[in-house]
Coordinates of all heavy atoms in Angstrom, one line a residue:
H73 N -9.6 12.3 1.5 CA -8.8 13.3 2.1 C -9.0 13.3 3.6 O -10.2 13.1 4.1 CB -9.1 14.7 1.6 CG -8.9 14.8 0.1 ND1 -10.1 14.9 -0.7 CD2 -7.9 15.0 -0.7 CE1 -9.7 15.0 -1.9 NE2 -8.4 15.2 -2.0
V74 N -8.0 13.4 4.4 CA -8.0 13.7 5.8 C -7.3 15.1 6.1 O -6.2 15.3 5.5 CB -7.3 12.7 6.6 CG1 -7.2 13.1 8.1 CG2 -8.0 11.4 6.6
K75 N -8.2 16.0 6.7 CA -7.7 17.4 6.8 C -7.6 17.7 8.3 O -8.6 17.4 9.1 CB -8.6 18.4 6.1 CG -8.7 18.1 4.6 CD -9.5 19.2 3.9 CE -8.7 20.4 3.7 NZ -9.3 21.3 2.7
T76 N -6.5 18.4 8.7 CA -6.4 18.9 10.1 C -5.8 20.3 10.1 O -5.3 20.8 9.0 CB -5.4 18.0 10.9 OG1 -4.1 18.1 10.3 CG2 -5.7 16.5 10.9
S77 N -6.1 21.0 11.1 CA -5.6 22.4 11.2 C -4.3 22.5 12.1 O -4.2 21.8 13.1 CB -6.6 23.3 11.9 OG -7.8 23.3 11.0
A78 N -3.4 23.4 11.7 CA -2.2 23.7 12.5 C -1.8 25.1 12.3 O -2.4 25.8 11.5 CB -1.1 22.8 12.0
A79 N -0.9 25.7 13.1 CA -0.5 27.0 12.9 C 0.0 27.4 11.6 O -0.2 28.6 11.2 CB 0.6 27.3 14.0
D80 N 0.6 26.5 10.8 CA 1.2 26.8 9.5 C 0.1 26.6 8.4 O 0.5 26.9 7.2 CB 2.4 26.1 9.2 CG 2.2 24.6 9.3 OD1 1.1 24.1 9.9 OD2 3.1 23.8 8.8
G81 N -1.1 26.3 8.7 CA -2.1 26.1 7.7 C -2.9 24.8 7.8 O -2.8 24.1 8.9
R82 N -3.6 24.4 6.9 CA -4.4 23.3 6.9 C -3.6 22.1 6.2 O -3.3 22.1 5.1 CB -5.8 23.4 6.0 CG -6.7 24.3 6.8 CD -7.6 23.7 7.7 NE -8.5 22.8 7.2 CZ -9.3 22.0 7.9 NH1 -9.2 21.9 9.2 NH2 -10.2 21.2 7.4
H83 N -3.4 21.0 7.0 CA -2.7 19.9 6.5 C -3.6 18.9 5.9 O -4.7 18.6 6.5 CB -1.8 19.2 7.6 CG -0.7 20.0 8.0 ND1 0.6 19.6 7.8 CD2 -0.5 21.2 8.7 CE1 1.5 20.4 8.3 NE2 0.8 21.4 8.9
E84 N -3.3 18.4 4.7 CA -4.1 17.5 4.0 C -3.4 16.3 3.5 O -2.4 16.4 2.9 CB -4.8 18.2 2.8 CG -5.8 17.3 2.0 CD -6.5 18.0 0.9 OE1 -7.3 18.9 1.2 OE2 -6.2 17.7 -0.4
W85 N -4.0 15.1 3.8 CA -3.4 13.8 3.3 C -4.4 13.3 2.3 O -5.7 13.3 2.5 CB -3.2 12.8 4.5 CG -2.1 13.2 5.3 CD1 -0.8 12.8 5.3 CD2 -2.2 14.1 6.5 NE1 0.0 13.4 6.3 CE2 -0.8 14.1 7.1 CE3 -3.2 14.9 7.0 CZ2 -0.5 14.9 8.2 CZ3 -2.9 15.7 8.1 CH2 -1.6 15.8 8.7
H86 N -3.9 12.7 1.2 CA -4.7 12.3 0.1 C -4.5 10.9 -0.4 O -3.3 10.5 -0.5 CB -4.4 13.2 -1.1 CG -5.0 12.8 -2.4 ND1 -4.4 12.2 -3.5 CD2 -6.3 13.0 -2.9 CE1 -5.2 11.9 -4.4 NE2 -6.4 12.4 -4.1
W87 N -5.5 10.1 -0.6 CA -5.4 8.8 -1.0 C -6.3 8.7 -2.4 O -7.3 9.4 -2.4 CB -6.0 7.7 -0.1 CG -5.3 7.5 1.2 CD1 -4.3 6.5 1.4 CD2 -5.3 8.3 2.3 NE1 -3.9 6.6 2.7 CE2 -4.4 7.7 3.3 CE3 -5.9 9.5 2.6 CZ2 -4.2 8.3 4.5 CZ3 -5.7 10.0 4.0 CH2 -4.8 9.4 4.8
P88 N -6.0 7.9 -3.4 CA -6.8 7.8 -4.5 C -8.1 7.1 -4.3 O -8.4 6.5 -3.3 CB -6.0 6.9 -5.5 CG -5.1 6.1 -4.6 CD -4.8 7.0 -3.4

Side-chain angles (χ1 to χ4, degrees):
H73 306 102
V74 170
K75 304 186 75 168
T76 65
S77 295
D80 58 343
R82 290 279 285 175
H83 286 249
E84 179 176 296
W85 289 265
H86 171 261
W87 293 259

